[in-house]
PDB file of all heavy atoms in Angstrom:
ATOM      1  N   PRO A   1     -76.699  18.366   6.378  1.00 95.00           N
ATOM      2  CA  PRO A   1     -77.539  19.567   6.351  1.00 95.00           C
ATOM      3  C   PRO A   1     -76.960  20.783   7.067  1.00 95.00           C
ATOM      4  O   PRO A   1     -77.463  21.896   6.898  1.00 95.00           O
ATOM      5  CB  PRO A   1     -78.820  19.099   7.051  1.00 95.00           C
ATOM      6  CG  PRO A   1     -78.359  18.022   7.991  1.00 95.00           C
ATOM      7  CD  PRO A   1     -77.251  17.323   7.265  1.00 95.00           C
ATOM      8  N   GLY A   2     -75.904  20.605   7.876  1.00 97.00           N
ATOM      9  CA  GLY A   2     -75.350  21.719   8.634  1.00 97.00           C
ATOM     10  C   GLY A   2     -74.752  22.804   7.746  1.00 97.00           C
ATOM     11  O   GLY A   2     -74.236  22.519   6.659  1.00 97.00           O
ATOM     12  N   TYR A   3     -74.813  24.045   8.210  1.00 98.00           N
ATOM     13  CA  TYR A   3     -74.340  25.178   7.417  1.00 98.00           C
ATOM     14  C   TYR A   3     -72.891  25.020   6.982  1.00 98.00           C
ATOM     15  O   TYR A   3     -72.555  25.231   5.798  1.00 98.00           O
ATOM     16  CB  TYR A   3     -74.481  26.484   8.221  1.00 98.00           C
ATOM     17  CG  TYR A   3     -73.810  27.675   7.547  1.00 98.00           C
ATOM     18  CD1 TYR A   3     -74.454  28.368   6.536  1.00 98.00           C
ATOM     19  CD2 TYR A   3     -72.514  28.064   7.911  1.00 98.00           C
ATOM     20  CE1 TYR A   3     -73.828  29.445   5.895  1.00 98.00           C
ATOM     21  CE2 TYR A   3     -71.883  29.129   7.281  1.00 98.00           C
ATOM     22  CZ  TYR A   3     -72.539  29.826   6.285  1.00 98.00           C
ATOM     23  OH  TYR A   3     -71.915  30.869   5.653  1.00 98.00           O
ATOM     24  N   TRP A   4     -71.995  24.648   7.897  1.00 98.00           N
ATOM     25  CA  TRP A   4     -70.576  24.638   7.577  1.00 98.00           C
ATOM     26  C   TRP A   4     -70.222  23.526   6.603  1.00 98.00           C
ATOM     27  O   TRP A   4     -69.364  23.703   5.732  1.00 98.00           O
ATOM     28  CB  TRP A   4     -69.748  24.550   8.853  1.00 98.00           C
ATOM     29  CG  TRP A   4     -69.899  25.800   9.666  1.00 98.00           C
ATOM     30  CD1 TRP A   4     -70.721  25.989  10.740  1.00 98.00           C
ATOM     31  CD2 TRP A   4     -69.272  27.062   9.417  1.00 98.00           C
ATOM     32  NE1 TRP A   4     -70.629  27.293  11.188  1.00 98.00           N
ATOM     33  CE2 TRP A   4     -69.754  27.974  10.396  1.00 98.00           C
ATOM     34  CE3 TRP A   4     -68.343  27.503   8.477  1.00 98.00           C
ATOM     35  CZ2 TRP A   4     -69.321  29.298  10.441  1.00 98.00           C
ATOM     36  CZ3 TRP A   4     -67.916  28.819   8.521  1.00 98.00           C
ATOM     37  CH2 TRP A   4     -68.404  29.705   9.491  1.00 98.00           C
ATOM     38  N   GLY A   5     -70.882  22.383   6.716  1.00 96.00           N
ATOM     39  CA  GLY A   5     -70.676  21.326   5.738  1.00 96.00           C
ATOM     40  C   GLY A   5     -71.191  21.725   4.373  1.00 96.00           C
ATOM     41  O   GLY A   5     -70.537  21.493   3.345  1.00 96.00           O
ATOM     42  N   GLN A   6     -72.366  22.325   4.340  1.00 97.00           N
ATOM     43  CA  GLN A   6     -72.923  22.790   3.065  1.00 97.00           C
ATOM     44  C   GLN A   6     -72.010  23.844   2.440  1.00 97.00           C
ATOM     45  O   GLN A   6     -71.811  23.871   1.214  1.00 97.00           O
ATOM     46  CB  GLN A   6     -74.318  23.371   3.291  1.00 97.00           C
ATOM     47  CG  GLN A   6     -75.387  22.330   3.615  1.00 97.00           C
ATOM     48  CD  GLN A   6     -75.742  21.490   2.393  1.00 97.00           C
ATOM     49  OE1 GLN A   6     -75.880  22.007   1.296  1.00 97.00           O
ATOM     50  NE2 GLN A   6     -75.877  20.187   2.605  1.00 97.00           N
ATOM     51  N   ALA A   7     -71.459  24.730   3.276  1.00 98.00           N
ATOM     52  CA  ALA A   7     -70.575  25.776   2.763  1.00 98.00           C
ATOM     53  C   ALA A   7     -69.277  25.185   2.217  1.00 98.00           C
ATOM     54  O   ALA A   7     -68.777  25.617   1.163  1.00 98.00           O
ATOM     55  CB  ALA A   7     -70.275  26.785   3.867  1.00 98.00           C
ATOM     56  N   LEU A   8     -68.718  24.212   2.924  1.00 97.00           N
ATOM     57  CA  LEU A   8     -67.514  23.542   2.429  1.00 97.00           C
ATOM     58  C   LEU A   8     -67.769  22.885   1.071  1.00 97.00           C
ATOM     59  O   LEU A   8     -66.958  22.998   0.144  1.00 97.00           O
ATOM     60  CB  LEU A   8     -67.044  22.485   3.432  1.00 97.00           C
ATOM     61  CG  LEU A   8     -66.249  22.969   4.645  1.00 97.00           C
ATOM     62  CD1 LEU A   8     -66.149  21.862   5.684  1.00 97.00           C
ATOM     63  CD2 LEU A   8     -64.846  23.428   4.235  1.00 97.00           C
ATOM     64  N   ALA A   9     -68.899  22.185   0.961  1.00 96.00           N
ATOM     65  CA  ALA A   9     -69.230  21.523  -0.297  1.00 96.00           C
ATOM     66  C   ALA A   9     -69.410  22.541  -1.414  1.00 96.00           C
ATOM     67  O   ALA A   9     -68.952  22.347  -2.545  1.00 96.00           O
ATOM     68  CB  ALA A   9     -70.496  20.683  -0.131  1.00 96.00           C
ATOM     69  N   HIS A  10     -70.090  23.654  -1.105  1.00 96.00           N
ATOM     70  CA  HIS A  10     -70.289  24.712  -2.090  1.00 96.00           C
ATOM     71  C   HIS A  10     -68.946  25.261  -2.558  1.00 96.00           C
ATOM     72  O   HIS A  10     -68.719  25.458  -3.766  1.00 96.00           O
ATOM     73  CB  HIS A  10     -71.139  25.831  -1.479  1.00 96.00           C
ATOM     74  CG  HIS A  10     -71.224  27.058  -2.338  1.00 96.00           C
ATOM     75  ND1 HIS A  10     -72.054  27.138  -3.431  1.00 96.00           N
ATOM     76  CD2 HIS A  10     -70.561  28.252  -2.263  1.00 96.00           C
ATOM     77  CE1 HIS A  10     -71.910  28.338  -3.999  1.00 96.00           C
ATOM     78  NE2 HIS A  10     -71.013  29.020  -3.315  1.00 96.00           N
ATOM     79  N   HIS A  11     -68.030  25.497  -1.619  1.00 96.00           N
ATOM     80  CA  HIS A  11     -66.702  26.017  -1.957  1.00 96.00           C
ATOM     81  C   HIS A  11     -65.942  25.029  -2.823  1.00 96.00           C
ATOM     82  O   HIS A  11     -65.328  25.407  -3.832  1.00 96.00           O
ATOM     83  CB  HIS A  11     -65.933  26.316  -0.672  1.00 96.00           C
ATOM     84  CG  HIS A  11     -64.640  27.028  -0.912  1.00 96.00           C
ATOM     85  ND1 HIS A  11     -63.726  27.270   0.092  1.00 96.00           N
ATOM     86  CD2 HIS A  11     -64.074  27.546  -2.034  1.00 96.00           C
ATOM     87  CE1 HIS A  11     -62.679  27.910  -0.398  1.00 96.00           C
ATOM     88  NE2 HIS A  11     -62.871  28.085  -1.682  1.00 96.00           N
ATOM     89  N   HIS A  12     -65.997  23.760  -2.476  1.00 94.00           N
ATOM     90  CA  HIS A  12     -65.292  22.744  -3.253  1.00 94.00           C
ATOM     91  C   HIS A  12     -65.843  22.647  -4.672  1.00 94.00           C
ATOM     92  O   HIS A  12     -65.087  22.436  -5.623  1.00 94.00           O
ATOM     93  CB  HIS A  12     -65.408  21.381  -2.557  1.00 94.00           C
ATOM     94  CG  HIS A  12     -64.435  21.185  -1.436  1.00 94.00           C
ATOM     95  ND1 HIS A  12     -63.628  20.088  -1.317  1.00 94.00           N
ATOM     96  CD2 HIS A  12     -64.129  21.969  -0.366  1.00 94.00           C
ATOM     97  CE1 HIS A  12     -62.870  20.185  -0.237  1.00 94.00           C
ATOM     98  NE2 HIS A  12     -63.170  21.323   0.355  1.00 94.00           N
ATOM     99  N   ARG A  13     -67.145  22.782  -4.808  1.00 93.00           N
ATOM    100  CA  ARG A  13     -67.760  22.652  -6.129  1.00 93.00           C
ATOM    101  C   ARG A  13     -67.511  23.857  -7.019  1.00 93.00           C
ATOM    102  O   ARG A  13     -67.459  23.729  -8.237  1.00 93.00           O
ATOM    103  CB  ARG A  13     -69.268  22.421  -5.989  1.00 93.00           C
ATOM    104  CG  ARG A  13     -69.655  21.061  -5.435  1.00 93.00           C
ATOM    105  CD  ARG A  13     -71.135  20.778  -5.659  1.00 93.00           C
ATOM    106  NE  ARG A  13     -71.977  21.741  -4.971  1.00 93.00           N
ATOM    107  CZ  ARG A  13     -72.502  21.536  -3.768  1.00 93.00           C
ATOM    108  NH1 ARG A  13     -72.252  20.403  -3.116  1.00 93.00           N
ATOM    109  NH2 ARG A  13     -73.278  22.443  -3.204  1.00 93.00           N
ATOM    110  N   THR A  14     -67.345  25.036  -6.415  1.00 93.00           N
ATOM    111  CA  THR A  14     -67.236  26.261  -7.212  1.00 93.00           C
ATOM    112  C   THR A  14     -65.841  26.863  -7.230  1.00 93.00           C
ATOM    113  O   THR A  14     -65.553  27.738  -8.044  1.00 93.00           O
ATOM    114  CB  THR A  14     -68.212  27.336  -6.684  1.00 93.00           C
ATOM    115  OG1 THR A  14     -67.896  27.625  -5.303  1.00 93.00           O
ATOM    116  CG2 THR A  14     -69.656  26.841  -6.766  1.00 93.00           C
ATOM    117  N   GLY A  15     -64.952  26.408  -6.350  1.00 92.00           N
ATOM    118  CA  GLY A  15     -63.610  26.982  -6.260  1.00 92.00           C
ATOM    119  C   GLY A  15     -62.674  26.459  -7.335  1.00 92.00           C
ATOM    120  O   GLY A  15     -62.883  25.391  -7.908  1.00 92.00           O
ATOM    121  N   ARG A  16     -61.643  27.208  -7.593  1.00 88.00           N
ATOM    122  CA  ARG A  16     -60.656  26.809  -8.595  1.00 88.00           C
ATOM    123  C   ARG A  16     -59.859  25.591  -8.164  1.00 88.00           C
ATOM    124  O   ARG A  16     -59.315  24.872  -8.997  1.00 88.00           O
ATOM    125  CB  ARG A  16     -59.713  27.985  -8.870  1.00 88.00           C
ATOM    126  CG  ARG A  16     -60.363  29.110  -9.653  1.00 88.00           C
ATOM    127  CD  ARG A  16     -59.392  30.235  -9.932  1.00 88.00           C
ATOM    128  NE  ARG A  16     -59.978  31.240 -10.801  1.00 88.00           N
ATOM    129  CZ  ARG A  16     -59.402  32.388 -11.110  1.00 88.00           C
ATOM    130  NH1 ARG A  16     -58.215  32.679 -10.577  1.00 88.00           N
ATOM    131  NH2 ARG A  16     -59.992  33.259 -11.919  1.00 88.00           N
ATOM    132  N   SER A  17     -59.784  25.353  -6.871  1.00 85.00           N
ATOM    133  CA  SER A  17     -58.970  24.244  -6.371  1.00 85.00           C
ATOM    134  C   SER A  17     -59.495  22.884  -6.809  1.00 85.00           C
ATOM    135  O   SER A  17     -58.767  21.892  -6.740  1.00 85.00           O
ATOM    136  CB  SER A  17     -58.879  24.296  -4.842  1.00 85.00           C
ATOM    137  OG  SER A  17     -60.156  24.187  -4.263  1.00 85.00           O
ATOM    138  N   ARG A  18     -60.738  22.828  -7.265  1.00 86.00           N
ATOM    139  CA  ARG A  18     -61.273  21.532  -7.721  1.00 86.00           C
ATOM    140  C   ARG A  18     -60.508  21.015  -8.931  1.00 86.00           C
ATOM    141  O   ARG A  18     -60.547  19.822  -9.253  1.00 86.00           O
ATOM    142  CB  ARG A  18     -62.767  21.624  -8.022  1.00 86.00           C
ATOM    143  CG  ARG A  18     -63.140  22.440  -9.241  1.00 86.00           C
ATOM    144  CD  ARG A  18     -64.630  22.345  -9.540  1.00 86.00           C
ATOM    145  NE  ARG A  18     -64.984  20.999  -9.971  1.00 86.00           N
ATOM    146  CZ  ARG A  18     -66.143  20.411  -9.722  1.00 86.00           C
ATOM    147  NH1 ARG A  18     -67.056  21.027  -9.004  1.00 86.00           N
ATOM    148  NH2 ARG A  18     -66.401  19.204 -10.164  1.00 86.00           N
ATOM    149  N   ASN A  19     -59.789  21.893  -9.623  1.00 87.00           N
ATOM    150  CA  ASN A  19     -59.004  21.494 -10.789  1.00 87.00           C
ATOM    151  C   ASN A  19     -57.515  21.361 -10.472  1.00 87.00           C
ATOM    152  O   ASN A  19     -56.708  21.205 -11.378  1.00 87.00           O
ATOM    153  CB  ASN A  19     -59.203  22.500 -11.922  1.00 87.00           C
ATOM    154  CG  ASN A  19     -60.644  22.541 -12.412  1.00 87.00           C
ATOM    155  OD1 ASN A  19     -61.259  21.500 -12.606  1.00 87.00           O
ATOM    156  ND2 ASN A  19     -61.182  23.733 -12.588  1.00 87.00           N
ATOM    157  N   TRP A  20     -57.163  21.443  -9.183  1.00 89.00           N
ATOM    158  CA  TRP A  20     -55.762  21.295  -8.783  1.00 89.00           C
ATOM    159  C   TRP A  20     -55.487  19.842  -8.429  1.00 89.00           C
ATOM    160  O   TRP A  20     -56.199  19.234  -7.623  1.00 89.00           O
ATOM    161  CB  TRP A  20     -55.449  22.182  -7.579  1.00 89.00           C
ATOM    162  CG  TRP A  20     -55.562  23.648  -7.856  1.00 89.00           C
ATOM    163  CD1 TRP A  20     -55.755  24.242  -9.062  1.00 89.00           C
ATOM    164  CD2 TRP A  20     -55.501  24.701  -6.884  1.00 89.00           C
ATOM    165  NE1 TRP A  20     -55.818  25.604  -8.909  1.00 89.00           N
ATOM    166  CE2 TRP A  20     -55.659  25.920  -7.592  1.00 89.00           C
ATOM    167  CE3 TRP A  20     -55.324  24.742  -5.502  1.00 89.00           C
ATOM    168  CZ2 TRP A  20     -55.652  27.154  -6.955  1.00 89.00           C
ATOM    169  CZ3 TRP A  20     -55.305  25.962  -4.873  1.00 89.00           C
ATOM    170  CH2 TRP A  20     -55.462  27.160  -5.584  1.00 89.00           C
ATOM    171  N   PHE A  21     -54.443  19.308  -9.005  1.00 91.00           N
ATOM    172  CA  PHE A  21     -54.049  17.927  -8.731  1.00 91.00           C
ATOM    173  C   PHE A  21     -53.756  17.738  -7.246  1.00 91.00           C
ATOM    174  O   PHE A  21     -53.096  18.557  -6.609  1.00 91.00           O
ATOM    175  CB  PHE A  21     -52.809  17.579  -9.557  1.00 91.00           C
ATOM    176  CG  PHE A  21     -52.195  16.254  -9.203  1.00 91.00           C
ATOM    177  CD1 PHE A  21     -52.745  15.076  -9.673  1.00 91.00           C
ATOM    178  CD2 PHE A  21     -51.069  16.192  -8.388  1.00 91.00           C
ATOM    179  CE1 PHE A  21     -52.168  13.847  -9.341  1.00 91.00           C
ATOM    180  CE2 PHE A  21     -50.489  14.982  -8.056  1.00 91.00           C
ATOM    181  CZ  PHE A  21     -51.044  13.803  -8.532  1.00 91.00           C
ATOM    182  N   GLY A  22     -54.272  16.648  -6.694  1.00 89.00           N
ATOM    183  CA  GLY A  22     -54.041  16.310  -5.293  1.00 89.00           C
ATOM    184  C   GLY A  22     -53.961  14.806  -5.122  1.00 89.00           C
ATOM    185  O   GLY A  22     -53.700  14.072  -6.082  1.00 89.00           O
ATOM    186  N   LEU A  23     -54.226  14.323  -3.922  1.00 89.00           N
ATOM    187  CA  LEU A  23     -53.968  12.916  -3.615  1.00 89.00           C
ATOM    188  C   LEU A  23     -55.163  12.162  -3.057  1.00 89.00           C
ATOM    189  O   LEU A  23     -55.012  11.037  -2.601  1.00 89.00           O
ATOM    190  CB  LEU A  23     -52.808  12.830  -2.614  1.00 89.00           C
ATOM    191  CG  LEU A  23     -51.486  13.443  -3.066  1.00 89.00           C
ATOM    192  CD1 LEU A  23     -50.499  13.468  -1.913  1.00 89.00           C
ATOM    193  CD2 LEU A  23     -50.912  12.669  -4.246  1.00 89.00           C
ATOM    194  N   VAL A  24     -56.343  12.751  -3.088  1.00 91.00           N
ATOM    195  CA  VAL A  24     -57.475  12.105  -2.415  1.00 91.00           C
ATOM    196  C   VAL A  24     -58.033  10.918  -3.193  1.00 91.00           C
ATOM    197  O   VAL A  24     -58.701  10.053  -2.627  1.00 91.00           O
ATOM    198  CB  VAL A  24     -58.603  13.119  -2.136  1.00 91.00           C
ATOM    199  CG1 VAL A  24     -58.159  14.168  -1.153  1.00 91.00           C
ATOM    200  CG2 VAL A  24     -59.089  13.780  -3.417  1.00 91.00           C
ATOM    201  N   SER A  25     -57.793  10.868  -4.500  1.00 96.00           N
ATOM    202  CA  SER A  25     -58.331   9.782  -5.332  1.00 96.00           C
ATOM    203  C   SER A  25     -57.468   9.655  -6.578  1.00 96.00           C
ATOM    204  O   SER A  25     -57.931   9.852  -7.694  1.00 96.00           O
ATOM    205  CB  SER A  25     -59.785  10.080  -5.724  1.00 96.00           C
ATOM    206  OG  SER A  25     -59.880  11.379  -6.318  1.00 96.00           O
ATOM    207  N   THR A  26     -56.207   9.294  -6.364  1.00 97.00           N
ATOM    208  CA  THR A  26     -55.184   9.451  -7.398  1.00 97.00           C
ATOM    209  C   THR A  26     -54.482   8.143  -7.723  1.00 97.00           C
ATOM    210  O   THR A  26     -54.023   7.430  -6.825  1.00 97.00           O
ATOM    211  CB  THR A  26     -54.146  10.487  -6.940  1.00 97.00           C
ATOM    212  OG1 THR A  26     -54.816  11.725  -6.718  1.00 97.00           O
ATOM    213  CG2 THR A  26     -53.045  10.660  -7.962  1.00 97.00           C
ATOM    214  N   VAL A  27     -54.358   7.836  -9.017  1.00 98.00           N
ATOM    215  CA  VAL A  27     -53.620   6.660  -9.451  1.00 98.00           C
ATOM    216  C   VAL A  27     -52.245   7.103  -9.943  1.00 98.00           C
ATOM    217  O   VAL A  27     -52.098   8.125 -10.619  1.00 98.00           O
ATOM    218  CB  VAL A  27     -54.384   5.891 -10.550  1.00 98.00           C
ATOM    219  CG1 VAL A  27     -54.525   6.694 -11.835  1.00 98.00           C
ATOM    220  CG2 VAL A  27     -53.722   4.552 -10.827  1.00 98.00           C
ATOM    221  N   ILE A  28     -51.221   6.334  -9.545  1.00 97.00           N
ATOM    222  CA  ILE A  28     -49.839   6.682  -9.864  1.00 97.00           C
ATOM    223  C   ILE A  28     -49.007   5.400  -9.894  1.00 97.00           C
ATOM    224  O   ILE A  28     -49.327   4.424  -9.210  1.00 97.00           O
ATOM    225  CB  ILE A  28     -49.278   7.689  -8.822  1.00 97.00           C
ATOM    226  CG1 ILE A  28     -47.860   8.146  -9.190  1.00 97.00           C
ATOM    227  CG2 ILE A  28     -49.313   7.099  -7.411  1.00 97.00           C
ATOM    228  CD1 ILE A  28     -47.348   9.294  -8.332  1.00 97.00           C
ATOM    229  N   ASP A  29     -47.963   5.408 -10.693  1.00 96.00           N
ATOM    230  CA  ASP A  29     -47.035   4.283 -10.737  1.00 96.00           C
ATOM    231  C   ASP A  29     -46.364   4.113  -9.367  1.00 96.00           C
ATOM    232  O   ASP A  29     -45.888   5.086  -8.780  1.00 96.00           O
ATOM    233  CB  ASP A  29     -45.987   4.538 -11.817  1.00 96.00           C
ATOM    234  CG  ASP A  29     -44.989   3.405 -11.946  1.00 96.00           C
ATOM    235  OD1 ASP A  29     -43.975   3.433 -11.221  1.00 96.00           O
ATOM    236  OD2 ASP A  29     -45.221   2.511 -12.775  1.00 96.00           O
ATOM    237  N   ARG A  30     -46.346   2.900  -8.870  1.00 97.00           N
ATOM    238  CA  ARG A  30     -45.816   2.640  -7.529  1.00 97.00           C
ATOM    239  C   ARG A  30     -44.358   3.080  -7.395  1.00 97.00           C
ATOM    240  O   ARG A  30     -43.983   3.759  -6.436  1.00 97.00           O
ATOM    241  CB  ARG A  30     -45.935   1.149  -7.204  1.00 97.00           C
ATOM    242  CG  ARG A  30     -45.303   0.757  -5.870  1.00 97.00           C
ATOM    243  CD  ARG A  30     -45.349  -0.761  -5.670  1.00 97.00           C
ATOM    244  NE  ARG A  30     -44.779  -1.133  -4.387  1.00 97.00           N
ATOM    245  CZ  ARG A  30     -43.471  -1.338  -4.182  1.00 97.00           C
ATOM    246  NH1 ARG A  30     -42.627  -1.212  -5.200  1.00 97.00           N
ATOM    247  NH2 ARG A  30     -43.024  -1.674  -2.989  1.00 97.00           N
ATOM    248  N   LYS A  31     -43.522   2.701  -8.352  1.00 96.00           N
ATOM    249  CA  LYS A  31     -42.102   3.043  -8.271  1.00 96.00           C
ATOM    250  C   LYS A  31     -41.906   4.559  -8.325  1.00 96.00           C
ATOM    251  O   LYS A  31     -41.079   5.122  -7.588  1.00 96.00           O
ATOM    252  CB  LYS A  31     -41.327   2.367  -9.396  1.00 96.00           C
ATOM    253  CG  LYS A  31     -39.820   2.613  -9.316  1.00 96.00           C
ATOM    254  CD  LYS A  31     -39.083   1.881 -10.426  1.00 96.00           C
ATOM    255  CE  LYS A  31     -37.566   2.061 -10.290  1.00 96.00           C
ATOM    256  NZ  LYS A  31     -37.163   3.477 -10.311  1.00 96.00           N
ATOM    257  N   LEU A  32     -42.662   5.220  -9.186  1.00 96.00           N
ATOM    258  CA  LEU A  32     -42.548   6.672  -9.277  1.00 96.00           C
ATOM    259  C   LEU A  32     -42.922   7.321  -7.954  1.00 96.00           C
ATOM    260  O   LEU A  32     -42.243   8.247  -7.489  1.00 96.00           O
ATOM    261  CB  LEU A  32     -43.453   7.199 -10.395  1.00 96.00           C
ATOM    262  CG  LEU A  32     -43.524   8.725 -10.526  1.00 96.00           C
ATOM    263  CD1 LEU A  32     -42.164   9.305 -10.872  1.00 96.00           C
ATOM    264  CD2 LEU A  32     -44.573   9.121 -11.577  1.00 96.00           C
ATOM    265  N   MET A  33     -43.979   6.847  -7.321  1.00 95.00           N
ATOM    266  CA  MET A  33     -44.421   7.419  -6.052  1.00 95.00           C
ATOM    267  C   MET A  33     -43.339   7.263  -4.994  1.00 95.00           C
ATOM    268  O   MET A  33     -43.058   8.186  -4.228  1.00 95.00           O
ATOM    269  CB  MET A  33     -45.718   6.743  -5.597  1.00 95.00           C
ATOM    270  CG  MET A  33     -46.328   7.334  -4.328  1.00 95.00           C
ATOM    271  SD  MET A  33     -47.003   8.992  -4.526  1.00 95.00           S
ATOM    272  CE  MET A  33     -45.725   9.984  -3.776  1.00 95.00           C
TER     273      MET A  33
END
């Protein structure tokens, strides 16, 4: 419920970075990695 957490979530949901590939939940070939 805190303001800064709510703001972070809002930014993540509406920002363009949500469509940028990252590593938080990513499947990849072991050898390639």
Side-chain angles (χ1 to χ4, degrees):
Y3 171 82
W4 293 99
Q6 289 288 318
L8 280 167
H10 171 78
H11 188 187
H12 279 231
R13 290 195 298 265
T14 59
R16 288 181 174 174
S17 61
R18 70 174 292 147
N19 297 315
W20 295 352
F21 171 79
L23 301 172
V24 295
S25 53
T26 300
V27 65
I28 184 171
D29 181 272
R30 175 185 181 274
K31 184 178 183 302
L32 175 63
M33 184 69 257

